[in-house]
Amino acid sequence: MKWIQVKIETNNPEAVCAKLMAIGINGFEIEDPADFEDFVQNQTQYWDIIDQTLQQQKEQACSVKVYLPEQDGDTLKLVSHQMEALSREGDFGSLALTCTTMDEEDWSNAWKQYYKPLHIGSGLVICPCWEEYSPREGERVISIDPGPAFGTGSHETTAMCLELLEQTVQPGMKLLDVGCGSGILSVAGLCLGAEQAWGVDIDPLAVKVAGENGRLNGFGSDRLHLCTGDLTDSVQGTFTIAVANIIADVIITLAGQIGQFLQPGSPFICSGIIRDREQDVEQALQQNGFTLLEKRQKKDWTAYLTRLGGDENA
């Protein structure tokens, strides 16, 4: 199978990612010289993989890369339209698109050189399925094969969800994951002690990848339940915790729907919110009966831990 690598030049990768997430693209490869410096300074255990190709990133402008099936011309047009819209909102760099056709095998090999075990929170390790990792005492390892269209857990929005899940999930919980993508949050919830997890995504490929990642971690359909649907349209039952890593506009809509599937007092974690939409999201959550317990921020992104009903001091 052939894929189109779409490279977008920008001085604000967070803004570009937000526009891409708005059309359902949740997997990105961000090339940022600042991130390279952080990698060199803080990931010394991987110095042996920093080859000449990676060194060249220090001299490059920021860019965001996404990968689309070669035949998916409609999504490519949507990407172009989103970048045109972004260019009218301010200075976000050239936003020039460069498209390169590549074989899936070539894409996979290029991806793997950047994706290493990632430590999140106090004890979570997100590990690509092709890497070997020996966990230290107390660590929970989540094995992930992101596939060609989904994120790896390294993006700030996903990392914040994982951190909040780590501090919130209790044994026996029933987790609802809206917009499950690769299934990383559903699988993390199960690894953290949830008894059952339900993941829903509008993309059938996401549902397929999420199931494969569940099986990688020992969770079959008896514990990880997956379905295709738009937000909560296909959801049934009642849950004791929910998570959604989407975008602000979708979370605003979801705030009016998800409460009917949660028991009173249940936590709801949401992320994917660009900072200039914080107030809109907070207002929607509060108007629909959610109490804001914690706001977490990384770069230009915000995540919330909320609870259905009650007050924050209860």
Side-chain angles (χ1 to χ4, degrees):
M1 182 174 180
K2 289 187 177 295
W3 294 80
I4 300 175
Q5 178 200 78
V6 185
K7 181 177 180 179
I8 306 165
E9 301 288 343
T10 181
N11 59 21
N12 190 325
E14 288 82 7
V16 170
C17 289
K19 286 293 186 182
L20 295 173
M21 291 172 71
I23 56 174
I25 297 176
N26 295 303
F28 321 104
E29 180 182 328
I30 300 175
E31 292 185 350
D32 187 338
D35 289 342
F36 179 88
E37 292 294 342
D38 177 73
F39 180 86
V40 172
Q41 293 174 18
N42 299 312
Q43 302 290 338
T44 56
Q45 66 268 41
Y46 302 128
W47 277 0
D48 59 327
I49 70 163
I50 301 176
D51 59 17
Q52 186 62 35
T53 301
L54 292 176
Q55 290 281 0
Q56 292 172 358
Q57 288 188 29
K58 294 177 67 175
E59 309 302 326
Q60 297 175 351
C62 294
S63 66
V64 176
K65 293 180 182 178
V66 298
Y67 296 84
L68 307 174
E70 185 180 37
Q71 67 272 20
D72 192 0
D74 291 340
T75 301
L76 181 57
K77 290 178 182 178
L78 285 175
V79 171
S80 179
H81 291 159
Q82 288 292 85
M83 294 307 104
E84 291 174 3
L86 186 60
S87 69
R88 295 191 290 269
E89 296 176 12
D91 178 14
F92 297 95
S94 71
L95 299 177
L97 273 62
T98 303
C99 298
T100 305
T101 301
M102 56 199 311
D103 292 327
E104 183 167 352
E105 181 178 357
D106 293 337
W107 178 90
S108 298
N109 291 334
W111 177 273
K112 290 178 181 179
Q113 68 175 317
Y114 300 103
Y115 187 22
K116 298 295 175 180
L118 178 67
H119 295 259
I120 293 178
S122 62
L124 286 176
V125 180
I126 311 302
C127 186
C129 61
W130 54 83
E131 288 283 329
E132 293 185 4
Y133 180 81
S134 298
R136 295 188 287 268
E137 184 177 356
E139 288 184 334
R140 292 181 173 93
V141 179
I142 301 170
S143 183
I144 290 291
D145 185 349
F150 301 98
T152 64
S154 60
H155 193 269
E156 290 83 5
T157 61
T158 309
M160 288 187 289
C161 281
L162 290 166
E163 291 168 358
L164 291 170
L165 281 171
E166 185 182 37
Q167 75 180 50
T168 307
V169 171
Q170 299 294 324
M173 278 184 159
K174 292 175 62 178
L175 170 71
L176 173 61
D177 179 6
V178 181
C180 64
S182 67
I184 186 171
L185 300 179
S186 294
V187 172
L190 292 170
C191 288
L192 290 165
E195 181 61 29
Q196 303 281 326
W198 276 258
V200 58
D201 201 287
I202 197 170
D203 185 352
L205 177 59
V207 173
K208 177 177 180 292
V209 170
E212 293 170 352
N213 283 323
R215 289 186 288 274
L216 269 177
N217 291 274
F219 302 117
S221 58
D222 59 325
R223 294 189 63 190
L224 177 58
H225 314 273
L226 299 163
C227 64
T228 304
D230 187 3
L231 296 182
T232 60
D233 287 352
S234 301
V235 176
Q236 297 180 350
T238 305
F239 303 87
T240 52
I241 184 171
V243 61
N245 181 25
I246 315 181
I247 59 170
D249 286 332
V250 178
I251 290 171
I252 290 169
T253 298
L254 186 60
Q257 302 176 0
I258 201 165
Q260 64 185 302
F261 300 102
L262 289 172
Q263 294 181 11
S266 297
F268 172 43
I269 297 165
C270 53
S271 186
I273 303 154
I274 201 77
R275 286 199 183 187
D276 61 8
R277 299 302 308 280
E278 286 179 1
Q279 292 186 349
D280 297 332
V281 173
E282 289 181 12
Q283 183 178 28
L285 290 166
Q286 291 170 334
Q287 287 177 344
N288 286 281
F290 290 93
T291 299
L292 305 180
L293 302 179
E294 181 179 343
K295 179 196 294 188
R296 189 164 296 208
Q297 295 177 317
K298 290 182 184 291
K299 293 189 176 179
D300 288 336
W301 300 98
T302 299
Y304 291 100
L305 171 61
T306 74
R307 182 174 59 219
L308 180 61
D311 62 67
E312 60 185 294
N313 297 317

